[in-house]
Coordinates of all heavy atoms in Angstrom, one line a residue:
A164 N -60.5 3.5 -12.4 CA -59.7 2.6 -13.2 C -60.4 2.2 -14.5 O -59.7 2.0 -15.5 CB -59.4 1.3 -12.4
E165 N -61.7 2.1 -14.4 CA -62.5 1.8 -15.7 C -62.4 3.0 -16.7 O -62.3 2.7 -17.9 CB -64.0 1.7 -15.3 CG -64.3 0.3 -14.8 CD -65.8 0.3 -14.4 OE1 -66.4 1.3 -14.2 OE2 -66.3 -0.9 -14.3
D166 N -62.5 4.2 -16.2 CA -62.3 5.4 -17.1 C -60.9 5.3 -17.8 O -60.8 5.5 -19.0 CB -62.4 6.7 -16.4 CG -63.8 6.9 -15.7 OD1 -64.7 6.3 -16.1 OD2 -63.8 7.7 -14.8
A167 N -59.9 5.0 -17.0 CA -58.6 4.9 -17.5 C -58.5 3.9 -18.5 O -57.9 4.1 -19.6 CB -57.6 4.6 -16.3
R168 N -59.1 2.7 -18.3 CA -59.0 1.6 -19.2 C -59.6 2.0 -20.6 O -59.1 1.7 -21.6 CB -59.7 0.4 -18.6 CG -59.8 -0.9 -19.4 CD -58.6 -1.4 -20.1 NE -57.4 -1.4 -19.3 CZ -56.1 -1.4 -19.8 NH1 -55.9 -1.3 -21.1 NH2 -55.1 -1.4 -19.0
A169 N -60.8 2.7 -20.5 CA -61.4 3.1 -21.8 C -60.5 4.0 -22.6 O -60.4 3.9 -23.8 CB -62.8 3.8 -21.4
A170 N -59.9 4.9 -21.9 CA -59.0 5.8 -22.6 C -57.7 5.1 -23.1 O -57.3 5.3 -24.3 CB -58.6 7.0 -21.7
L171 N -57.2 4.2 -22.3 CA -56.0 3.5 -22.7 C -56.3 2.6 -23.9 O -55.5 2.5 -24.8 CB -55.4 2.6 -21.6 CG -54.9 3.4 -20.4 CD1 -54.7 2.5 -19.2 CD2 -53.6 4.1 -20.7
D172 N -57.5 2.0 -23.9 CA -57.9 1.2 -25.1 C -57.9 1.9 -26.4 O -57.8 1.4 -27.4 CB -59.2 0.5 -24.8 CG -59.1 -0.6 -23.8 OD1 -58.0 -1.0 -23.5 OD2 -60.2 -1.1 -23.3
L173 N -58.2 3.3 -26.3 CA -58.2 4.1 -27.5 C -56.8 4.6 -27.8 O -56.6 5.3 -28.7 CB -59.1 5.3 -27.3 CG -60.6 5.1 -27.3 CD1 -61.3 6.4 -26.9 CD2 -61.0 4.8 -28.8
G174 N -55.8 4.1 -27.0 CA -54.4 4.5 -27.3 C -54.0 5.8 -26.7 O -53.0 6.4 -27.0
F175 N -54.9 6.4 -25.8 CA -54.7 7.7 -25.2 C -53.7 7.7 -24.0 O -53.5 6.7 -23.4 CB -56.0 8.3 -24.7 CG -56.7 9.1 -25.8 CD1 -57.0 8.5 -27.0 CD2 -57.0 10.4 -25.6 CE1 -57.6 9.3 -28.0 CE2 -57.6 11.2 -26.6 CZ -57.9 10.6 -27.8
Y176 N -53.1 8.8 -23.8 CA -52.3 9.1 -22.6 C -53.3 9.7 -21.5 O -54.3 10.2 -21.8 CB -51.2 10.1 -22.9 CG -50.1 9.6 -23.8 CD1 -50.3 9.4 -25.2 CD2 -48.9 9.3 -23.3 CE1 -49.3 9.0 -26.0 CE2 -47.8 8.9 -24.1 CZ -48.0 8.7 -25.4 OH -47.0 8.2 -26.2
L177 N -52.8 9.6 -20.3 CA -53.5 10.2 -19.2 C -52.6 11.2 -18.5 O -51.5 10.8 -18.0 CB -54.0 9.1 -18.2 CG -54.9 8.1 -18.8 CD1 -55.1 6.9 -18.0 CD2 -56.3 8.7 -19.1
S178 N -53.1 12.4 -18.3 CA -52.3 13.5 -17.7 C -52.8 13.8 -16.3 O -54.0 14.1 -16.1 CB -52.3 14.7 -18.5 OG -51.4 15.7 -18.0
I179 N -51.9 13.6 -15.3 CA -52.3 13.7 -13.9 C -52.1 15.1 -13.4 O -51.0 15.6 -13.5 CB -51.5 12.7 -13.0 CG1 -51.5 11.3 -13.7 CG2 -52.0 12.6 -11.6 CD1 -52.9 10.7 -14.0
P180 N -53.1 15.7 -12.8 CA -53.0 17.1 -12.3 C -52.6 17.1 -10.8 O -52.5 16.0 -10.1 CB -54.5 17.6 -12.4 CG -55.3 16.3 -12.2 CD -54.5 15.2 -12.7
G181 N -52.5 18.3 -10.3 CA -52.1 18.5 -8.9 C -53.2 18.0 -7.9 O -52.9 17.8 -6.7
I182 N -54.4 17.7 -8.3 CA -55.4 17.1 -7.5 C -54.9 15.8 -6.8 O -55.3 15.5 -5.7 CB -56.7 16.8 -8.3 CG1 -57.3 18.1 -8.8 CG2 -57.7 15.9 -7.6 CD1 -58.4 17.9 -9.8
V183 N -53.9 15.1 -7.4 CA -53.4 13.9 -6.9 C -52.7 14.1 -5.5 O -52.5 13.2 -4.8 CB -52.5 13.2 -7.9 CG1 -51.1 13.9 -8.0 CG2 -52.3 11.7 -7.6
T184 N -52.3 15.4 -5.3 CA -51.6 15.7 -4.0 C -52.6 16.0 -2.9 O -52.2 16.2 -1.7 CB -50.7 16.9 -4.2 OG1 -51.5 18.1 -4.4 CG2 -49.7 16.8 -5.3
F185 N -53.9 16.1 -3.2 CA -54.9 16.5 -2.2 C -55.1 15.4 -1.2 O -55.1 14.2 -1.6 CB -56.2 16.9 -2.8 CG -56.2 18.1 -3.7 CD1 -57.4 18.6 -4.3 CD2 -55.0 18.9 -3.9 CE1 -57.4 19.7 -5.1 CE2 -55.0 20.0 -4.7 CZ -56.2 20.4 -5.3
P186 N -55.2 15.7 0.1 CA -55.4 14.6 1.1 C -56.5 13.6 0.7 O -56.4 12.4 1.0 CB -55.7 15.4 2.4 CG -55.1 16.7 2.2 CD -55.2 17.0 0.7
K187 N -57.6 14.1 0.2 CA -58.8 13.2 -0.1 C -58.7 12.5 -1.4 O -59.6 11.8 -1.8 CB -60.1 14.1 -0.1 CG -60.5 14.5 1.2 CD -61.9 15.2 1.2 CE -62.3 15.7 2.6 NZ -63.3 16.7 2.5
A188 N -57.5 12.6 -2.1 CA -57.4 12.0 -3.4 C -56.9 10.5 -3.4 O -56.2 10.1 -4.3 CB -56.6 12.8 -4.3
G189 N -57.1 9.8 -2.3 CA -56.6 8.5 -2.1 C -57.0 7.5 -3.3 O -56.2 6.7 -3.8
A190 N -58.2 7.7 -3.7 CA -58.7 6.8 -4.8 C -58.0 7.0 -6.1 O -57.6 6.1 -6.8 CB -60.2 7.0 -5.0
L191 N -57.7 8.3 -6.4 CA -57.0 8.7 -7.6 C -55.5 8.1 -7.5 O -55.0 7.6 -8.5 CB -57.0 10.2 -7.8 CG -56.1 10.7 -8.9 CD1 -56.6 10.1 -10.3 CD2 -56.2 12.2 -9.0
R192 N -54.9 8.3 -6.3 CA -53.5 7.8 -6.1 C -53.5 6.3 -6.4 O -52.5 5.8 -7.0 CB -53.0 8.1 -4.7 CG -52.6 9.6 -4.6 CD -51.9 9.9 -3.3 NE -52.7 9.9 -2.2 CZ -53.4 10.9 -1.7 NH1 -53.4 12.1 -2.4 NH2 -54.2 10.8 -0.7
E193 N -54.5 5.5 -6.0 CA -54.6 4.1 -6.3 C -54.7 3.8 -7.8 O -54.0 2.9 -8.3 CB -55.8 3.5 -5.6 CG -55.5 2.8 -4.3 CD -56.7 2.3 -3.6 OE1 -57.6 1.7 -4.2 OE2 -56.9 2.6 -2.4
V194 N -55.5 4.6 -8.5 CA -55.6 4.4 -9.9 C -54.3 4.7 -10.6 O -53.8 3.9 -11.4 CB -56.8 5.3 -10.5 CG1 -56.8 5.2 -12.0 CG2 -58.1 4.9 -9.9
V195 N -53.7 5.8 -10.2 CA -52.4 6.2 -10.8 C -51.3 5.2 -10.6 O -50.5 5.0 -11.5 CB -52.0 7.6 -10.1 CG1 -50.5 7.9 -10.4 CG2 -52.9 8.7 -10.7
A196 N -51.4 4.5 -9.4 CA -50.4 3.5 -9.1 C -50.4 2.3 -10.2 O -49.4 1.7 -10.4 CB -50.6 2.9 -7.7
G197 N -51.6 2.1 -10.7 CA -51.8 1.0 -11.7 C -51.7 1.3 -13.1 O -51.9 0.5 -14.0
L198 N -51.4 2.6 -13.5 CA -51.4 3.0 -14.9 C -50.1 2.6 -15.6 O -49.0 2.6 -14.9 CB -51.5 4.5 -15.0 CG -52.9 5.1 -14.5 CD1 -52.9 6.6 -14.7 CD2 -54.0 4.5 -15.3
P199 N -50.1 2.2 -16.8 CA -48.9 1.9 -17.6 C -47.9 3.1 -17.6 O -48.4 4.2 -18.0 CB -49.3 1.4 -18.9 CG -50.7 1.9 -19.1 CD -51.3 2.1 -17.7
A200 N -46.6 2.8 -17.3 CA -45.7 3.9 -17.3 C -45.6 4.7 -18.6 O -45.3 5.9 -18.6 CB -44.3 3.4 -16.9
D201 N -45.7 4.0 -19.7 CA -45.5 4.7 -21.0 C -46.7 5.5 -21.5 O -46.7 6.1 -22.5 CB -45.1 3.7 -22.1 CG -46.1 2.6 -22.3 OD1 -47.1 2.6 -21.6 OD2 -45.9 1.8 -23.3
R202 N -47.8 5.6 -20.7 CA -48.9 6.5 -21.0 C -49.2 7.6 -20.0 O -50.2 8.2 -20.1 CB -50.2 5.6 -21.1 CG -50.1 4.5 -22.1 CD -50.2 4.9 -23.5 NE -50.5 3.7 -24.3 CZ -51.7 3.2 -24.4 NH1 -52.8 3.8 -24.0 NH2 -51.8 2.1 -25.1
L203 N -48.2 7.8 -19.1 CA -48.4 8.8 -18.1 C -47.9 10.2 -18.5 O -46.8 10.2 -19.0 CB -47.7 8.4 -16.9 CG -48.3 7.6 -15.7 CD1 -47.3 7.4 -14.6 CD2 -49.5 8.4 -15.2
L204 N -48.7 11.2 -18.2 CA -48.2 12.6 -18.3 C -48.5 13.3 -17.0 O -49.4 12.8 -16.3 CB -48.7 13.3 -19.5 CG -48.3 12.7 -20.9 CD1 -49.1 13.4 -22.0 CD2 -46.8 13.0 -21.2
V205 N -47.9 14.4 -16.8 CA -48.3 15.2 -15.6 C -48.5 16.7 -16.0 O -47.9 17.1 -17.0 CB -47.2 15.2 -14.5 CG1 -47.2 13.8 -13.8 CG2 -45.8 15.5 -15.1
E206 N -49.3 17.4 -15.3 CA -49.6 18.8 -15.7 C -50.0 19.6 -14.5 O -50.3 19.1 -13.4 CB -50.8 18.7 -16.6 CG -52.1 18.3 -15.9 CD -53.4 18.4 -16.8 OE1 -53.4 17.7 -17.9 OE2 -54.3 19.1 -16.4
T207 N -50.0 20.9 -14.7 CA -50.5 21.8 -13.6 C -51.9 22.3 -13.9 O -52.7 22.5 -13.0 CB -49.6 23.1 -13.5 OG1 -49.6 23.7 -14.8 CG2 -48.2 22.7 -13.0
D208 N -52.2 22.5 -15.2 CA -53.5 23.3 -15.6 C -53.4 24.7 -15.0 O -54.4 25.3 -14.7 CB -54.7 22.6 -15.1 CG -56.0 23.0 -16.0 OD1 -55.8 23.6 -17.1 OD2 -57.1 22.6 -15.6
A209 N -52.2 25.2 -14.8 CA -52.0 26.5 -14.3 C -52.7 27.6 -15.2 O -52.7 27.4 -16.4 CB -50.5 26.8 -14.2
P210 N -53.3 28.6 -14.6 CA -53.2 29.1 -13.2 C -54.2 28.4 -12.2 O -54.3 28.8 -11.1 CB -53.6 30.5 -13.4 CG -54.6 30.5 -14.5 CD -54.1 29.5 -15.4
Y211 N -54.9 27.3 -12.6 CA -55.8 26.6 -11.8 C -55.2 25.5 -11.0 O -54.1 25.0 -11.4 CB -57.0 26.1 -12.6 CG -57.5 27.1 -13.6 CD1 -57.2 27.0 -15.0 CD2 -58.2 28.3 -13.2 CE1 -57.7 27.9 -15.9 CE2 -58.6 29.2 -14.1 CZ -58.3 29.0 -15.4 OH -58.7 30.0 -16.3
L212 N -55.9 25.0 -10.0 CA -55.6 23.7 -9.4 C -54.2 23.5 -8.8 O -53.6 22.5 -9.0 CB -55.8 22.6 -10.4 CG -57.3 22.3 -10.8 CD1 -57.3 21.2 -12.0 CD2 -58.1 21.8 -9.7
A213 N -53.7 24.5 -8.1 CA -52.4 24.4 -7.5 C -52.3 23.1 -6.5 O -53.2 22.9 -5.8 CB -52.0 25.6 -6.7
P214 N -51.2 22.4 -6.6 CA -51.1 21.2 -5.7 C -50.7 21.7 -4.3 O -50.3 22.8 -4.1 CB -49.9 20.5 -6.4 CG -49.1 21.5 -7.1 CD -50.1 22.6 -7.5
V215 N -50.9 20.7 -3.4 CA -50.3 20.9 -2.0 C -48.8 21.0 -2.2 O -48.2 20.2 -2.9 CB -50.7 19.7 -1.2 CG1 -50.0 19.7 0.2 CG2 -52.2 19.5 -1.1
P216 N -48.1 21.9 -1.5 CA -48.5 22.8 -0.5 C -48.9 24.2 -1.0 O -48.8 25.2 -0.2 CB -47.2 22.9 0.4 CG -46.1 22.8 -0.6 CD -46.6 21.9 -1.7
H217 N -49.2 24.4 -2.2 CA -49.5 25.7 -2.8 C -51.0 25.9 -3.0 O -51.4 26.8 -3.6 CB -48.8 25.9 -4.1 CG -47.3 25.6 -4.1 ND1 -46.4 26.4 -3.5 CD2 -46.6 24.5 -4.6 CE1 -45.2 25.9 -3.6 NE2 -45.3 24.7 -4.3
R218 N -51.8 24.9 -2.5 CA -53.2 24.9 -2.7 C -53.9 26.3 -2.4 O -53.6 26.9 -1.4 CB -53.9 23.8 -1.9 CG -55.1 23.4 -2.5 CD -55.6 22.1 -1.8 NE -57.0 21.8 -2.2 CZ -57.7 20.8 -1.7 NH1 -57.2 20.0 -0.8 NH2 -59.0 20.7 -2.1
G219 N -54.7 26.7 -3.3 CA -55.4 28.0 -3.1 C -54.7 29.2 -3.7 O -55.3 30.2 -3.9
K220 N -53.4 29.0 -4.0 CA -52.7 30.1 -4.7 C -52.8 29.9 -6.2 O -53.3 28.9 -6.7 CB -51.2 30.0 -4.3 CG -50.9 30.4 -2.9 CD -49.4 30.6 -2.7 CE -48.8 29.5 -1.8 NZ -47.4 29.3 -1.8
R221 N -52.3 30.9 -6.9 CA -52.2 30.7 -8.4 C -51.2 29.6 -8.6 O -50.1 29.6 -8.1 CB -51.6 32.0 -9.0 CG -51.5 32.0 -10.5 CD -50.8 33.2 -11.1 NE -49.3 33.2 -10.7 CZ -48.4 34.1 -11.1 NH1 -48.8 35.0 -12.0 NH2 -47.2 34.0 -10.7
N222 N -51.6 28.7 -9.5 CA -50.7 27.6 -9.9 C -49.7 28.1 -11.0 O -50.0 29.0 -11.7 CB -51.5 26.4 -10.4 CG -50.8 25.1 -10.4 OD1 -49.7 25.0 -10.0 ND2 -51.5 24.1 -10.8
E223 N -48.6 27.4 -11.1 CA -47.6 27.7 -12.1 C -46.8 26.5 -12.4 O -46.7 25.6 -11.6 CB -46.7 28.9 -11.7 CG -45.9 28.7 -10.5 CD -45.0 29.9 -10.1 OE1 -45.5 31.0 -9.8 OE2 -43.7 29.7 -10.2
P224 N -46.2 26.4 -13.6 CA -45.5 25.2 -14.1 C -44.5 24.6 -13.1 O -44.3 23.4 -13.0 CB -44.8 25.6 -15.4 CG -45.8 26.6 -15.9 CD -46.2 27.4 -14.7
A225 N -43.8 25.5 -12.3 CA -42.8 25.0 -11.4 C -43.4 24.0 -10.4 O -42.7 23.1 -9.9 CB -42.1 26.2 -10.6
F226 N -44.7 24.2 -10.1 CA -45.3 23.4 -9.0 C -45.6 22.0 -9.5 O -46.0 21.2 -8.7 CB -46.6 24.1 -8.6 CG -46.5 25.4 -7.9 CD1 -47.6 26.2 -7.7 CD2 -45.3 25.9 -7.6 CE1 -47.5 27.5 -7.1 CE2 -45.1 27.2 -7.0 CZ -46.3 28.0 -6.8

Side-chain angles (χ1 to χ4, degrees):
E165 278 178 339
D166 297 339
R168 178 45 51 202
L171 293 167
D172 285 348
L173 283 171
F175 269 57
Y176 290 75
L177 299 166
S178 184
I179 311 304
I182 292 171
V183 76
T184 67
F185 295 180
K187 284 184 183 162
L191 176 59
R192 285 189 287 273
E193 261 175 48
V194 173
V195 163
L198 296 177
D201 61 354
R202 302 284 194 85
L203 264 181
L204 293 171
V205 289
E206 66 175 59
T207 57
D208 205 10
Y211 315 106
L212 290 175
V215 174
H217 309 288
R218 204 169 169 183
K220 285 192 251 169
R221 181 189 69 173
N222 200 0
E223 60 178 66
F226 297 168

